[in-house]
DNA sequence: ACGTTACTTTCCAAAGC
DNA sequence: GCTTTAAAAAGTAACGT
């Protein structure tokens, strides 16, 4: 009898320790990413729900914690790409992606695809581009996405191309390399998306 | 107006069977030309047929998996070749072992571009998976037939998980009517 | 700025770790 | 869960030239 009781305490303590570890990891990663406190709270809620629904079995605590943070950033409208998230996590990109898809499905998070416009303010400020460029980039994204150009394309690459195009149009040119570095995509991707976007916008230049 | 059903093409058929006899894969690997066997890496021996093109995974238990064939007829032809090769090595093989198709992979074309964002919302976010940062296709699981469809912006699609060629046809029909009902196939 | 190769996703069986 | 095999879809990436 005593043994069972001690075991319960042991598991309870272990579970408590694991939860504390997960929450401190979320805090550490959130700080490294510079996201507001509200995002950490949303991530914590998602993590606790995953724990309650027993979704952590067969997965690492770190992987679920990182995925919860990725989901929280998206839910709060300030997405970070898997590439950016993986830079502050000890879990590799592929594992974060598959764990995110799993918890998102199981918890019924009903996450909408990321809107590329959500990346515009952050990328533009890192590039020190004006408000005018941001507005222009948003216009390009809005208009070309309506025409169906966005289907299947990565949101970061799409945003990067629109920002590159907008910087040219507003005479605040940034090179493809500069934009690519901030968005963490290749110049090839920017070139491909840029060509499609300017063609759809009817711009020549 | 091409019927999307007429664009269906079988790309791969996976089937399993067995010769009803245990095998010494080490000696089969020695005698069978072109056999790849690395038990440290994988317990099955890999044997490829050229015509029809396929890959057979042969196990110690005598069970065999055939994959890569473009039709169920090709699966039977490929396995007939594998059975004959084993008989040449003085291995007893049952008369005509039962061959069970486990999975058929099909491609098709809806003939129109798709707005995957609108389709994701229309089909219901709880019924689909669409993560363009990770993969350009929208994943749609059907209950009847029980298959998985990958929808792309080009209007092309992949149907997998079916066991009969008709499964893909029924799936394409359902997807087309579902998208038409939603006004998203235009 | 090309071209090639290779990786992402879905499905399934097999035997063993 | 992983390992191996095959195949398509389209996007992205990393090579070499």
């Amino acid at each position: 009898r005593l043994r069972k009781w001690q075991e319960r305490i042991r598991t309870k303590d272990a579970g408590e320790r694991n939860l504390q570890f997960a929450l401190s990891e979320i805090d550490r990663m959130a700080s490294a990413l510079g996201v507001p406190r509200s995002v950490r709270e949303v991530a914590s809620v998602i993590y606790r729900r995953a724990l309650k629904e027993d979704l952590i079995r067969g997965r690492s605590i770190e992987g679920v914690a990182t995925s919860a943070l990725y989901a929280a950033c998206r839910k709060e409208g300030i997405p970070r790409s898997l590439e950016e998230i993986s830079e502050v996590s000890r879990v590799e990109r592929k594992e974060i992606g598959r764990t995110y898809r799993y918890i998102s499905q199981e918890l019924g998070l009903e996450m909408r695809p990321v809107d590329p416009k959500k990346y515009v303010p952050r990328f533009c400020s890192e590039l020190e581009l004006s408000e005018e460029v941001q507005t222009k980039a948003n216009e390009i994204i809005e208009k070309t996405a309506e025409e169906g150009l966005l289907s299947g394309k990565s949101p970061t690459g799409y945003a990067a191309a629109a920002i590159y195009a907008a910087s040219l149009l507003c005479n605040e040119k940034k090179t493809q390399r500069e934009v690519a570095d901030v968005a963490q995509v290749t110049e090839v991707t920017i070139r491909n998306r840029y060509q499609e976007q300017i063609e759809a916008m009817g711009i020549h230049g | 107006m091409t019927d999307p059903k007429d664009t269906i093409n079988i790309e791969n058929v996976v089937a399993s069977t067995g010769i009803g006899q245990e095998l010494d894969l080490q000696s089969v690997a020695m005698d069978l030309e072109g056999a790849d066997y690395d038990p440290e890496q994988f317990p099955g021996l890999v044997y490829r047929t050229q015509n029809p093109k396929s890959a057979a995974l042969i196990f110690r238990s005598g069970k065999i998996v055939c994959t890569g064939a473009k039709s169920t007829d090709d699966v039977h032809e490929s396995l007939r070749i594998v059975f004959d090769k084993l008989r040449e090595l003085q291995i007893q093989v049952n008369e005509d072992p039962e061959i069970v198709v486990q999975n058929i992979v099909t491609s098709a074309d809806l003939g129109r571009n798709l707005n995957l964002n609108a389709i994701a919302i229309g089909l219901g976010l709880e019924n689909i998976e669409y993560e363009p940062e990770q993969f350009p296709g929208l994943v749609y699981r059907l209950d009847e037939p029980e298959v998985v469809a990958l929808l792309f912006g080009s209007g092309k699609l992949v149907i997998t998980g079916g066991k009969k060629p008709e499964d893909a046809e029924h799936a394409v029909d359902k997807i087309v009517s579902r998208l038409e009902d939603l006004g998203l196939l235009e």
Side-chain angles (χ1 to χ4, degrees), chain B residues 63-83:
Chain B
K63 291 188 177 178
I64 299 174
V65 170
C66 178
T67 183
K70 294 280 185 195
S71 68
T72 49
D73 283 349
D74 281 358
V75 166
H76 283 82
E77 179 61 14
S78 293
L79 284 171
R80 208 219 64 204
I81 293 168
V82 172
F83 294 152

Side-chain angles (χ1 to χ4, degrees), chain A residues 20 26 33 50 56 75 107 158 161 177 181 197 199:
Chain A
Q20 284 314 314
I26 288 173
L33 289 171
I56 300 175
K75 262 234 143 56
L107 296 181
Y158 207 86
R177 197 48 353 255
D181 284 343
Q197 289 174 5
E199 194 185 340

Side-chain angles (χ1 to χ4, degrees), chain B residues 69-142:
Chain B
K70 294 280 185 195
S71 68
T72 49
D73 283 349
D74 281 358
V75 166
H76 283 82
E77 179 61 14
S78 293
L79 284 171
R80 208 219 64 204
I81 293 168
V82 172
F83 294 152
D84 286 347
K85 282 288 178 189
L86 292 176
R87 289 191 182 103
E88 281 174 27
L89 301 180
Q90 315 306 322
I91 293 164
Q92 296 292 348
V93 176
N94 285 352
E95 264 318 299
D96 40 3
E98 186 188 13
I99 296 171
V100 182
V101 174
Q102 303 287 356
N103 181 27
I104 297 179
V105 182
T106 307
S107 65
D109 190 353
L110 299 181
R112 310 189 122 71
N113 287 339
L114 302 176
N115 184 333
L116 297 183
N117 243 324
I119 290 174
I121 307 293
L123 291 177
L125 292 171
E126 69 280 13
N127 302 310
I128 60 98
E129 267 188 66
Y130 177 48
E131 291 295 331
E133 185 184 348
Q134 298 186 55
F135 185 69
L138 183 152
V139 183
Y140 184 38
R141 287 161 209 277
L142 307 238

Side-chain angles (χ1 to χ4, degrees), chain A residues 98 154 186 189 193:
Chain A
R98 70 166 58 179
S154 129
T186 63
T189 296
R193 295 306 133 249

Side-chain angles (χ1 to χ4, degrees), chain A residues 5 11 18 25-26 28-29 33 36 52 74 77 85 87-89 99 120 134 145 155 157 165-166 201 204:
Chain A
W5 191 61
T11 32
N18 286 340
E25 271 299 282
I26 288 173
R28 180 188 63 76
M29 294 186 286
L33 289 171
K52 193 176 174 186
R74 284 177 58 166
I85 292 271
E87 280 181 346
V88 301
S89 174
T99 303
V120 170
Q134 294 193 37
M201 293 286 294
H204 305 284

Side-chain angles (χ1 to χ4, degrees), chain A residues 176-192:
Chain A
Q176 293 180 358
R177 197 48 353 255
E178 289 173 306
V179 183
D181 284 343
V182 166
Q184 303 220 268
V185 296
T186 63
E187 295 168 86
V188 178
T189 296
I190 292 189
R191 237 172 268 138
N192 292 337

